[in-house]
Amino acid sequence: SPVVDIDTPLPDPGPVPGNRPAAQPEVTDHIPEVPGKKALVLASPTAYPEPVLDKACTYISTQFGAPVGQVLPVRLTGTEDESTFSDTDMEAVDPVILLHEVWQPPIRGVLYAISQFRKQLPETVNLWVVLTGDAADGNLSVPDNSEQFDMWVRAVRSLDDPGITVKTMMNHG
């Protein structure tokens, strides 16, 4: 599927830090908790109002084994600067989780914002793009056969950064 362009400058891919192999997005039901580390969630306050965000944070904790320590509001304007994490103790964070609705296509501006967030993180901190269902209707689960998810995986893989993983919230019955 084509990627929608909003005339946002493409990031300079530059050299890949550590010359690691290309990322393979993974979908897993549960990942063991990293002792002493808490997830830092990035979410649009417009798309994820407080009750929905609370539900998402509970989901992240139970589905991924990543207790949420902090939530930062983000707008994904493509103009993210180096101050996003300036007030955050990154030693206590892993992973950083960007919540995004799966039905919204991975336009270049959003991909650029994702790459800017990743550039601000230490190499040891993972960035997860966690795709959700439509937050407006409160159902955050993404169907297993989501074509939109596949489109996101391809788009994020094109960033060629092994520190970025795409995941979905799944319904567990």
Side-chain angles (χ1 to χ4, degrees):
S1 298
V3 176
V4 179
D5 187 0
I6 60 167
D7 274 344
T8 302
L10 290 174
D12 175 17
V16 176
N19 201 17
R20 297 179 292 186
Q24 294 301 317
E26 61 183 74
V27 180
T28 56
D29 286 341
H30 179 76
I31 293 178
E33 181 177 330
V34 178
K37 301 280 186 169
K38 301 275 187 193
L40 169 63
V41 174
L42 308 175
S44 163
T46 307
Y48 297 93
E50 195 167 326
V52 176
L53 186 58
D54 291 344
K55 183 177 179 179
C57 288
T58 299
Y59 218 147
I60 288 166
S61 219
T62 56
Q63 181 177 334
F64 299 124
V68 176
Q70 185 179 3
V71 176
L72 293 178
V74 294
R75 301 232 183 266
L76 299 182
T77 61
T79 59
E80 284 65 29
D81 59 31
E82 294 182 13
S83 65
T84 304
F85 307 110
S86 62
D87 294 331
T88 304
D89 174 13
M90 295 311 290
E91 293 292 319
V93 171
D94 194 30
V96 171
I97 298 174
L98 172 65
L99 289 179
H100 203 280
E101 292 174 313
V102 71
W103 65 269
Q104 295 179 345
I107 59 174
R108 287 187 182 176
V110 172
L111 294 172
Y112 180 74
I114 290 168
S115 68
Q116 291 303 103
F117 290 138
R118 180 68 190 128
K119 284 179 183 177
Q120 295 176 50
L121 298 174
E123 192 172 323
T124 57
V125 176
N126 297 292
L127 176 60
W128 294 354
V129 178
V130 175
L131 301 169
T132 70
D134 189 349
D137 71 12
N139 180 8
L140 299 178
S141 297
V142 175
D144 289 339
N145 59 352
S146 170
E147 289 180 23
Q148 290 102 349
F149 171 71
D150 293 340
M151 184 177 5
W152 271 95
V153 169
R154 286 190 303 275
V156 170
R157 189 179 290 151
S158 75
L159 297 175
D160 198 27
D161 187 325
I164 305 172
T165 304
V166 179
K167 299 176 177 291
T168 63
M169 290 195 179
M170 296 181 287
N171 188 358
H172 290 287

